[in-house]
Structure formats: C-alpha cells, structure tokens
Amino acid sequence: MINDNFNMSMRKFLKQVGVTSQQAIEEHVRKTGLKGGHLDTKMTLTIEGGGVVHEVKGRIDLD
C-alpha cells in the first residue's frame, strides 16, 4: 500500500490543501478587516466511501 506513487500523490494533495486553505484564511482576514484577536478554526478531512471523517481544530492568532 505505501509506495512511491502513493506518497507522491498524497503529498501533492496535502500541499494543495495547505496552500488553498492558507489563501482562504488570508482572504477572510482581508475581507473582514480583522486586525487582532484570533480565529477558531476546524479542518475536516472526509474519505468518500471510506467511512473516515478526521477533524483538526485550532486557533490562529492574528496579533
């Protein structure tokens, strides 16, 4: 199951998630004009047909 193709494909997916998520957060902060405080966040990974739902909660400080 764990092979080079799998690892490369997974890394590509995770890079896309990271980059697009950062862009979405930055756009939200810019549009709302937030200058301080924090954002409570939650990221959900769902594997369709696999019965997997994985959530990561976090806090992003703005100042």
Side-chain angles (χ1 to χ4, degrees):
M1 180 174 116
I2 305 297
N3 60 41
D4 289 342
N5 188 45
F6 171 74
N7 283 330
M8 296 217 15
S9 182
M10 182 168 46
R11 286 173 188 252
K12 181 178 177 181
F13 171 73
L14 292 173
K15 182 176 180 178
Q16 180 182 8
V17 168
V19 169
T20 59
S21 297
Q22 181 175 349
Q23 290 169 343
I25 292 165
E26 289 172 347
E27 182 178 350
H28 171 75
V29 170
R30 199 169 36 256
K31 282 185 176 181
T32 58
L34 295 172
K35 300 288 184 198
H38 67 272
L39 299 173
D40 289 320
T41 60
K42 177 174 70 171
M43 179 68 70
T44 304
L45 169 71
T46 305
I47 299 176
E48 296 181 9
V52 174
V53 177
H54 175 74
E55 291 184 352
V56 177
K57 294 181 181 181
R59 172 181 263 191
I60 299 171
D61 294 321
L62 301 175
D63 42 21

